Amino acid sequence: MRHRIIVLGAGYTGAIAAGRLARRLRREDVAITLVNAEPDFVERVRMHQLAAGQDLKPRPLSEMFAGTGVELRLARVTGVDVDRRTVTVAGTGTEAGAGTEELAYDTLVYALGSGWNAQGVPGTAEHAYEIASRPGALRLRERLARLDTGQTVVVVGGGLTGLEAATEIAEARPDLDVALVARGGLGDWLSPKGREHLRKVFGKLGITVHEHAVVTGVGADRVTTAEGEVIPAAVTVWTTGFAVHPIAEATALEVTGTGQIVVDGTMRSVSHPDVYAVGDAAMVTGPGDKPLRMSCASGTPTAWQAADAIAARLTGGKLPDVPIRYFNQCISLGRKEGLIQYVTADDRAVRAALTGRLAAVYKELVCKGAAWSVANPTLGLPARRRRVTREEAAARSAVKAPA
Ligand SMILES: Cc1cc2nc3c(=O)[nH]c(=O)nc-3n(C[C@H](O)[C@H](O)[C@H](O)COP(=O)(O)OP(=O)(O)OC[C@H]3O[C@@H](n4cnc5c(N)ncnc54)[C@H](O)[C@@H]3O)c2cc1C
């Protein structure tokens, strides 16, 4: 019987892990199933562009995985039972059929990513728009299209996503009054050069910045802050970080308080060795013993690491030991401007930063490269398909035979 590998989620990390496993292992030995709720690969790093009215290239997963040996399953994951080693999925629409089904695995790769994080602030669920998902970005796009000249859009959150959203919307709709509310100072983690450039671009685009302000409520036409400020908002865009889906938390897996699966350096669950977690769903300790932040930049190497570790363990090969580190933060500021902030291995800004149009082009290449790496998960390395050793397979099935 072939070793059954199920990968949950075909975002950046799940798609890369599935593709890389398929190139590392032989089809006679493993059955790889990739489960995803949507039929397309979604470039999440471009959701602010989608919201601002740009059209993104369609990337059907069926085309991306044609001929790879990865079986694509369009369905919504509703539960995982790590003791019985099963996943429950519900059909999505006509393509996937109706009803629920249980899928059994020998090895699971959990890559369900994250969604927006309303952080329990009153009114967010009812009134705020999010851009962490494609449906959310499309909803905002449709709302922005209906706004009249002079109406106010307030972006809450001064992190990378907030900066990108505010500038993208302001550039696409110069007739709107765009504001950003940040808990700290504008880009206060950046180098002096980075901060200065950010202020210049925000000024040029006419974005009002409310600094050192904590939003405590969202209404239909305003946001209120802990400092007592009432900011008019025809539309509020909420970008204060991401939250993982509650599925892992409902299992026996060891998770953090945020619901991320705790993994070792090979992305293997510390509590359940049959389970690997990658991307936003995983709590990975990076350089300086700091958790990796939820990002494509650090998520992609976690997918390489997990796939290579699974392949190594199945084939008796050498375990990967590649430290995951940061190099830069690539921030788009609309289509014409950008900021590449160089950072230390543990993500702290150094003096050097690239700005202006060159930075915008660089960022565009990074986004293209991220999508390219999904379709090319071995990154140019020769695809050495290795045989799962008989001993390894036998040992694994002996360990995992259901009681
Ligand atoms: C607007 C925006 C801009 C960003 N810009 C950057 C950037 O410049 N650089 C950077 O490094 N990071 C950026 N990020 C963060 C980056 O997009 C995420 O960290 C990255 O997508 C995480 O990858 P992932 O594979 O873990 O999850 P995802 O890409 O979210 O993929 C998860 C997949 O799981 C599927 N899924 C979820 N739940 C279920 C379910 N129950 N059943 C079946 N399928 C399910 C989803 O449909 C999706 O395909 C940005 C994010 C946003 C929203």
Side-chain angles (χ1 to χ4, degrees):
M1 191 175 138
R2 290 191 297 167
H3 187 89
R4 295 159 302 179
I5 302 176
I6 297 185
V7 181
L8 303 183
Y12 290 97
T13 62
I16 288 173
R20 195 161 169 115
L21 281 164
R23 295 198 194 186
R24 288 270 184 258
L25 298 164
R26 296 158 47 113
R27 289 183 201 181
E28 306 89 278
D29 297 333
V30 290
I32 303 169
T33 306
L34 177 60
V35 185
N36 200 61
E38 295 194 62
D40 295 307
F41 170 71
V42 174
E43 289 184 272
R44 252 183 96 190
V45 301
R46 293 191 191 271
M47 287 303 101
H48 53 298
Q49 295 176 234
L50 186 67
Q54 291 159 42
D55 292 325
L56 304 183
K57 185 175 169 187
R59 298 178 187 274
L61 288 165
S62 56
E63 282 176 22
M64 288 172 86
F65 285 94
T68 61
V70 174
E71 188 201 333
L72 185 62
R73 182 69 206 266
L74 291 181
R76 179 159 292 282
V77 178
T78 54
V80 176
D81 187 330
V82 287
D83 296 322
R84 293 177 53 238
R85 297 195 312 273
T86 57
V87 174
T88 308
V89 298
T92 54
T94 49
E95 280 154 309
T100 63
E101 197 187 324
E102 247 183 25
L103 311 175
Y105 64 82
D106 297 305
T107 298
L108 183 74
V109 181
Y110 186 105
L112 291 181
S114 63
W116 70 311
N117 189 351
Q119 293 173 330
V121 173
T124 41
E126 300 88 328
H127 304 297
Y129 289 78
E130 56 100 358
I131 55 166
S133 70
R134 181 162 64 176
L138 288 172
R139 221 178 117 240
L140 175 59
R141 175 188 175 112
E142 189 265 328
R143 179 73 186 101
L144 290 174
R146 284 190 287 112
L147 286 185
D148 293 327
T149 296
Q151 286 195 283
T152 306
V153 177
V154 174
V155 176
V156 181
L160 300 173
T161 311
L163 300 181
E164 293 198 326
T167 48
E168 200 75 48
I169 295 168
E171 185 188 83
R173 290 291 305 273
D175 60 313
L176 297 177
D177 191 359
V178 178
L180 179 99
V181 185
R183 187 182 279 270
L186 183 66
D188 56 7
W189 70 94
L190 298 167
S191 64
K193 182 178 176 185
R195 284 199 299 270
E196 191 186 303
H197 187 66
L198 205 54
R199 285 206 186 272
K200 198 177 95 192
V201 176
F202 268 61
K204 245 180 13 196
L205 292 171
I207 302 169
T208 309
V209 184
H210 301 265
E211 296 175 272
H212 307 288
V214 178
V215 172
T216 49
V218 179
D221 59 357
R222 72 193 62 190
V223 301
T224 47
T225 71
E227 297 71 31
E229 214 179 342
V230 178
I231 305 168
V235 169
T236 300
V237 185
W238 196 263
T239 69
T240 63
F242 304 131
V244 297
H245 304 292
I247 292 173
E249 209 169 8
T251 67
L253 286 167
E254 184 172 330
V255 297
T256 61
T258 56
Q260 287 172 298
I261 299 170
V262 184
V263 295
D264 66 15
T266 65
M267 307 305 130
R268 192 183 212 179
S269 154
V270 295
S271 61
H272 290 74
D274 307 323
V275 179
Y276 290 72
V278 292
D280 289 0
M283 171 53 72
V284 184
T285 305
D289 278 341
K290 281 160 59 177
L292 296 181
R293 75 181 145 86
M294 292 189 196
S295 70
C296 206
S298 51
T300 298
T302 68
W304 294 334
Q305 196 99 318
D308 291 354
I310 293 167
R313 286 191 171 113
L314 284 176
T315 59
K318 192 171 172 295
L319 278 178
D321 184 21
V322 185
I324 298 173
R325 58 153 300 165
Y326 294 95
F327 295 96
N328 49 34
Q329 294 176 5
C330 302
I331 313 169
S332 69
L333 301 171
R335 294 300 88 202
K336 302 186 194 84
E337 273 286 357
L339 171 60
I340 309 300
Q341 175 63 63
Y342 296 97
V343 296
T344 56
D346 65 345
D347 210 24
R348 284 171 295 123
V350 297
R351 277 180 58 178
L354 184 68
T355 59
R357 185 171 283 274
L358 194 56
V361 172
Y362 188 110
K363 171 72 199 240
E364 177 55 28
L365 288 176
V366 166
C367 292
K368 282 204 170 100
W372 182 88
S373 70
V374 172
N376 299 273
T378 46
L379 251 190
L381 296 171
R384 284 172 295 140
R385 288 204 169 85
R386 301 188 54 165
R387 165 157 276 163
V388 172
T389 57
R390 280 183 200 289
E391 302 73 28
E392 184 66 27
R396 286 187 155 255
S397 21
V399 171
K400 292 176 188 158

